[in-house]
Amino acid sequence: MSRYEDRLNDDKRRQQADRLTFHTLEELVAMCGKLHNNWLYTNVDQWNQDPLHTPVYYFNEDWQEDQLADEQAVENDRGDIIPNDLADAGLRSWFEMATFEDVVEVLHDAGEPVILPMIVIALKYYHEYDAFLDYEDVEARLQLHDVLTQVADEQTSE
């Protein structure tokens, strides 16, 4: 099969939803490869504090434009179009779905088990540096985090 045919088949199998809410990171990861490439939105400050449980929203760009035209959405200070019912949620564009999928795929390419904290580390790194971390780098950072947490816990218990 040619690359063109692969891309066409990939496009056909993806869903074109107008608006989806992912209540957990696990729900969003489960949708990798199933949605068209639109922006993901979240409250980044909240996500940085609790990345596993902060809602992430997926909005179809055409739907957003229609919502704005019908006065069912507003633009935030960054020019992001946010539905009226989420206008006060502090949402901003976070990742394109394709970029989110790429960050997760880089980890899976190692052929090793990938856990959600590893995905969090890779996403935070990409968001800050616009660069990917490979599996080994993420695993090392996760191990360092675990050691630092253990040390902090021991110091607190003394």
Side-chain angles (χ1 to χ4, degrees):
M1 201 178 290
S2 72
R3 264 182 86 164
Y4 172 76
E5 291 170 319
D6 286 342
R7 291 185 123 180
L8 189 59
N9 287 336
D10 182 54
D11 189 60
K12 287 179 182 176
R13 73 175 168 74
R14 291 179 181 260
Q15 298 174 26
Q16 184 69 346
D18 287 337
R19 174 182 172 164
L20 296 171
T21 302
F22 303 99
H23 299 284
T24 65
L25 182 61
E26 186 174 18
E27 290 177 10
L28 178 56
V29 170
M31 292 302 288
C32 282
K34 297 177 183 173
L35 297 170
H36 281 272
N37 188 35
N38 284 294
W39 279 95
L40 298 170
Y41 295 79
T42 195
N43 180 318
V44 176
D45 293 333
Q46 184 180 350
W47 192 87
N48 283 329
Q49 299 219 347
D50 186 7
L52 298 178
H53 302 101
T54 298
V56 176
Y57 302 88
Y58 170 94
F59 304 130
N60 176 298
E61 292 176 15
D62 292 334
W63 176 82
Q64 285 176 296
E65 292 292 337
D66 291 344
Q67 293 292 298
L68 187 60
D70 293 341
E71 298 182 5
Q72 297 298 310
V74 295
E75 285 190 50
N76 66 13
D77 59 342
R78 295 169 39 111
D80 298 326
I81 300 172
I82 308 296
N84 287 344
D85 63 317
L86 296 170
D88 295 327
L91 299 184
R92 66 179 203 171
S93 55
W94 180 52
F95 279 102
E96 282 185 295
M97 188 68 190
T99 304
F100 179 88
E101 291 171 342
D102 288 346
V103 170
V104 174
E105 187 177 319
V106 165
L107 296 177
H108 282 289
D109 284 348
E112 298 291 331
V114 175
I115 59 175
L116 288 175
M118 295 174 87
I119 294 172
V120 169
I121 290 168
L123 289 169
K124 284 185 176 187
Y125 187 87
Y126 190 94
H127 193 260
E128 186 170 342
Y129 298 106
D130 197 25
F132 295 97
L133 279 178
D134 63 18
Y135 185 90
E136 292 78 20
D137 290 335
V138 170
E139 188 175 44
R141 288 170 185 253
L142 184 59
Q143 290 172 357
L144 177 61
H145 178 268
D146 290 345
V147 168
L148 292 174
T149 301
Q150 288 174 352
V151 168
D153 290 346
E154 287 177 17
Q155 288 178 343
T156 304
S157 65
E158 291 176 357

